Amino acid sequence: MAEYKGTYDECANYNRLTNLDSLEWKIISHLLYSQTKNAQNIWKILKYPTMDCLLQDNVSLEDRYALIDTEDGKETNKRMFLSPYVDDAWTEQCAHVHIYIDGIFPQNHEVATVNVAIETISHSKIIKVLGDADGRDINPLLPPPNPNDSNKQGEPVVLYKNRETVLLKSMIAELNGLYLDGVGYFQFNQKTNYYNNSQQNLWNGRTYIGHITKMAMLISGVSEGPNHNF
């Protein structure tokens, strides 16, 4: 077969999306090491399927890493993934998170808006969890609760919460406005991309419920040709 090789425009640079393939892991890595209350609640919800998950001690770095899908083979003991939820055989009563590239929308030849989908999912049998308004009375090591969860007298008024709603809120609160080195600012903002939203979804015959949340960032990585790309 005769060889054919195309040529590249030497007068302009084009977007090679240089850091696109590092995006999902950088998000997970941030969650792995973050010690904010939002991050702590994410890992507690993923590790503990019990109603008192929010009242548990902070999940250790080692235990957090063990929940990330980093190996081939059985995945039912993992809780955070770099791919969509597609395994209809799952029956585990747990919560899990899936982070992946959902769509790429080029603005021009140099910049593209990249949508990242975040699936926050919980088994319907464990959806209810105890609120943490008075959590420090049970576990003094807990971070301060949301003042809105108590009345003016300091008495808890939010006694129970939806596990998946806590997971959803914690993910958006933790990631919105996050700067990822070499990539850009992560946003939940329809001015960045019209498709940024969060919609409820059901999986496995309504066994699992949750949301697919789409967040976006601008990505560029221009060069004269692919040989200048990483």
Side-chain angles (χ1 to χ4, degrees):
M1 180 184 296
E3 178 180 346
Y4 173 80
K5 293 179 67 176
T7 59
Y8 295 93
D9 185 352
E10 297 180 357
C11 298
N13 292 331
Y14 289 82
N15 192 358
R16 308 296 170 190
L17 298 167
T18 303
N19 296 317
L20 179 70
D21 52 358
S22 67
L23 182 54
E24 293 118 328
W25 184 257
K26 280 195 170 183
I27 294 171
I28 289 180
S29 182
H30 170 81
L31 295 172
L32 175 65
Y33 289 100
S34 176
Q35 293 300 325
T36 66
K37 181 180 179 180
N38 293 315
Q40 290 186 29
N41 282 346
I42 289 168
W43 293 105
K44 289 178 185 181
I45 288 172
L46 297 181
K47 180 174 175 59
Y48 304 111
T50 55
M51 283 185 62
D52 63 351
C53 59
L54 299 180
L55 307 180
Q56 298 291 329
D57 290 339
N58 188 19
V59 180
S60 69
L61 180 62
E62 181 180 5
D63 286 346
R64 289 183 181 193
Y65 190 82
L67 294 173
I68 302 172
D69 182 36
T70 58
E71 304 170 359
D72 292 331
K74 186 177 181 180
E75 298 180 343
T76 53
N77 62 335
K78 304 299 182 181
R79 300 292 179 262
M80 189 168 289
F81 301 85
L82 294 92
S83 58
Y85 178 39
V86 295
D87 189 349
D88 292 337
W90 262 49
T91 59
E92 304 291 320
Q93 292 191 8
C94 66
H96 39 111
V97 171
H98 301 254
I99 299 172
Y100 55 92
I101 303 299
D102 174 73
I104 302 174
F105 304 86
Q107 296 189 2
N108 52 46
H109 66 288
E110 294 183 337
V111 178
T113 300
V114 176
N115 267 8
V116 176
I118 303 169
E119 297 176 352
T120 49
I121 304 170
S122 174
H123 194 286
S124 60
K125 297 295 185 182
I126 60 167
I127 204 69
K128 184 170 60 179
V129 299
L130 294 172
D132 60 346
D134 59 349
R136 284 180 144 180
D137 295 338
I138 301 171
N139 185 348
L141 298 178
L142 295 179
N146 185 345
N148 190 59
D149 290 353
S150 300
N151 60 21
K152 294 181 179 179
Q153 290 71 43
E155 301 167 331
V157 294
V158 180
L159 303 182
Y160 297 93
K161 294 186 176 184
N162 180 305
R163 178 185 297 268
E164 193 276 325
T165 302
V166 177
L167 184 58
L168 170 66
K169 173 249 184 173
S170 298
M171 289 294 295
I172 295 176
E174 180 69 20
L175 298 178
N176 197 16
L178 175 68
Y179 179 75
L180 298 175
D181 183 41
V183 183
Y185 286 97
F186 206 33
Q187 299 183 53
F188 188 54
N189 180 1
Q190 287 194 330
K191 289 185 177 180
T192 303
N193 186 274
Y194 173 78
Y195 294 101
N196 274 206
N197 60 54
S198 188
Q199 297 287 330
Q200 188 183 71
N201 199 24
L202 304 173
W203 290 266
N204 290 21
R206 298 177 180 266
T207 302
Y208 293 92
I209 61 177
H211 284 77
I212 301 177
T213 301
K214 297 180 181 180
M215 302 178 69
M217 62 174 51
L218 300 177
I219 290 186
S220 183
V222 296
S223 68
E224 295 177 359
N227 288 331
H228 298 277
N229 190 41
F230 295 99

